[in-house]
Amino acid sequence: MTNFKPVRKAVFPVAGLGTRFLPATKAMPKEMLPISDRPLIQHVFEEAREAGIEEFIFITGRHKQMLEEHFDYQPELEQTLESRGKDAMLEKVRDSEMPAGKLFLTRQPKPLGLGHAVWCAKKLIGDDPFAILLPDVLMKGETGCLKQMIDVYNETGGNIIALEDVPESEVHKYGIADVGEESNGAIEIKGLVEKPSIEEAPSTLSAVGRYILQPEVFEPLEAFERGAGNEIQLTDAMAKLIGQQPFNGMVFDGKSYDCGSRLGFIEANLVYGLADPEIGDDVAKILKKYN
Ligand code: UTP
């Protein structure tokens, strides 16, 4: 293993409006939508924790306080569960607490785009490499996606984005990578194209919401250039680093679920429900009923 600066910080952008999920997200943050027994934000927190992340940075905004409160110590709740002997539930509640000194909050006053949200963490990141996890995308695999990426990072350093192969008919929905040689799980990235047509797509490998980036990405972000949808795009800033720094993709060994869309959310609930030891068999029975 080569000695690269370790990835200890992770950014969770949660300041978006969640318009695809209205009216559910009128007052409740999209990132609080539950998949099985826990909200999206807790799933990604657990993925980052498994990967050895020590500083959890939330880019939050208006009407999003519930997200930080979710990770609070809840003394009355714990006492009640304890007095009723609900030990398994108590264990689950305790596991959802953020240890002291690990949560950092900063705000994005206006949802100007993912790139702008990430830029809001500039001071908190300083000169360190960092991870970004989009909480509305769940990555289901034997090993968590960020852990898989950090294993690759420890060999290559530089920047790494998670990739997933998508059907040709769907490339127009995603950021697609132009890729070169592969070596030890790291695929050289030569370019990124946002939502190309089938004809224009350089591959079928899409970027799926997990990134390890070097702090130099804040330079292009600071130009605050508007891109697709008139938003400040992370993809545009990353594209400017390609060729200047090592930039690799890692094909995730698992499957992603876009829980910010209604269909992805329903599919994820079925898949996570089926995999749940407590309710999996009953979920399978329900599914059979509607076949
Ligand atoms: P999305 O584009 O999926 O979220 O961004 P959105 O904009 O809230 O959702 P729709 O498209 O309107 O339904 C991915 C993540 O980035 C955050 C979102 O909260 C989400 O978790 N985000 C997005 C920000 O923090 N700030 C932004 O300006 C945009």
Side-chain angles (χ1 to χ4, degrees), residues 13-21 30-31 59 64 108 110-114 117 134-136 260:
V14 295
L17 298 177
T19 56
R20 283 171 294 163
F21 239 114
K30 167 172 80 173
E31 299 80 3
I59 315 294
K64 297 282 185 164
Q108 183 191 28
K110 290 185 196 164
L112 299 178
L114 179 60
L134 303 192
D136 55 348

Side-chain angles (χ1 to χ4, degrees), residues 108-128:
Q108 183 191 28
K110 290 185 196 164
L112 299 178
L114 179 60
H116 183 261
V118 171
W119 173 82
C120 293
K122 183 174 189 270
K123 283 275 173 220
L124 293 168
I125 297 298
D127 284 331
D128 294 319

Side-chain angles (χ1 to χ4, degrees), residues 173-249:
K173 294 188 197 161
Y174 302 98
I176 300 291
D178 183 4
V179 293
E181 295 294 303
E182 174 176 357
S183 138
N184 296 327
I187 308 176
E188 183 201 358
I189 297 217
K190 299 197 285 190
L192 290 165
V193 196
E194 197 59 53
K195 303 186 174 67
S197 62
I198 299 185
E199 297 76 35
E200 289 165 339
S203 75
T204 50
L205 292 173
S206 74
V208 274
R210 299 292 185 270
Y211 314 82
I212 292 174
L213 297 178
Q214 297 298 317
E216 284 77 14
V217 75
F218 290 111
E219 291 164 22
L221 280 178
E222 204 132 62
F224 302 124
E225 271 170 32
R226 304 274 181 153
N230 199 31
E231 292 192 346
I232 299 165
Q233 298 285 355
L234 180 64
T235 307
D236 296 341
M238 290 191 305
K240 293 202 172 114
L241 289 189
I242 296 171
Q244 298 189 14
Q245 294 195 346
F247 216 110
N248 292 297

Side-chain angles (χ1 to χ4, degrees), residues 21-279:
F21 239 114
L22 285 168
T25 48
K26 245 176 94 185
M28 184 188 70
K30 167 172 80 173
E31 299 80 3
M32 282 303 292
L33 288 169
I35 301 293
S36 194
D37 62 353
R38 59 204 68 191
L40 286 167
I41 190 72
Q42 189 179 335
H43 282 279
V44 285
F45 161 73
E46 287 173 9
E47 182 187 330
R49 185 174 62 182
E50 178 201 354
I53 294 299
E54 292 171 0
E55 294 183 28
F56 301 83
I57 301 168
F58 287 10
I59 315 294
T60 174
R62 296 176 70 216
H63 310 306
K64 297 282 185 164
Q65 286 85 341
M66 204 188 282
L67 288 163
E68 57 213 64
E69 284 167 17
H70 176 74
F71 293 94
D72 273 348
Y73 167 53
Q74 303 278 5
E76 299 85 359
L77 178 62
E78 293 198 10
Q79 277 156 23
T80 308
L81 292 173
E82 210 163 3
S83 67
R84 292 182 185 170
K86 304 232 175 210
D87 295 342
M89 202 52 85
L90 181 62
E91 202 44 53
K92 279 192 186 185
V93 168
R94 287 193 173 143
D95 195 47
S96 69
E97 278 163 22
M98 183 77 73
K102 304 263 184 205
L103 178 62
F104 299 82
L105 302 168
T106 187
R107 285 174 86 90
Q108 183 191 28
K110 290 185 196 164
L112 299 178
L114 179 60
H116 183 261
V118 171
W119 173 82
C120 293
K122 183 174 189 270
K123 283 275 173 220
L124 293 168
I125 297 298
D127 284 331
D128 294 319
F130 64 106
I132 304 170
L133 297 94
L134 303 192
D136 55 348
V137 182
L138 290 194
M139 309 292 279
K140 194 166 190 317
E142 267 312 288
T143 307
C145 182
L146 189 60
K147 169 93 173 60
Q148 292 181 25
M149 292 170 75
I150 286 183
D151 288 346
V152 173
Y153 171 87
N154 288 337
E155 300 296 328
T156 62
N159 304 273
I160 302 191
I161 62 177
L163 297 173
E164 189 172 57
D165 209 4
V166 293
E168 269 193 358
S169 58
E170 290 189 13
V171 289
H172 67 280
K173 294 188 197 161
Y174 302 98
I176 300 291
D178 183 4
V179 293
E181 295 294 303
E182 174 176 357
S183 138
N184 296 327
I187 308 176
E188 183 201 358
I189 297 217
K190 299 197 285 190
L192 290 165
V193 196
E194 197 59 53
K195 303 186 174 67
S197 62
I198 299 185
E199 297 76 35
E200 289 165 339
S203 75
T204 50
L205 292 173
S206 74
V208 274
R210 299 292 185 270
Y211 314 82
I212 292 174
L213 297 178
Q214 297 298 317
E216 284 77 14
V217 75
F218 290 111
E219 291 164 22
L221 280 178
E222 204 132 62
F224 302 124
E225 271 170 32
R226 304 274 181 153
N230 199 31
E231 292 192 346
I232 299 165
Q233 298 285 355
L234 180 64
T235 307
D236 296 341
M238 290 191 305
K240 293 202 172 114
L241 289 189
I242 296 171
Q244 298 189 14
Q245 294 195 346
F247 216 110
N248 292 297
M250 181 212 76
V251 177
F252 169 54
D253 185 8
K255 181 163 169 26
S256 74
Y257 297 91
D258 174 12
C259 302
S261 78
R262 287 166 61 195
L263 268 183
F265 171 80
I266 290 170
E267 187 181 2
N269 259 313
L270 292 176
V271 170
Y272 280 73
L274 282 170
D276 186 319
E278 285 168 25
I279 59 167

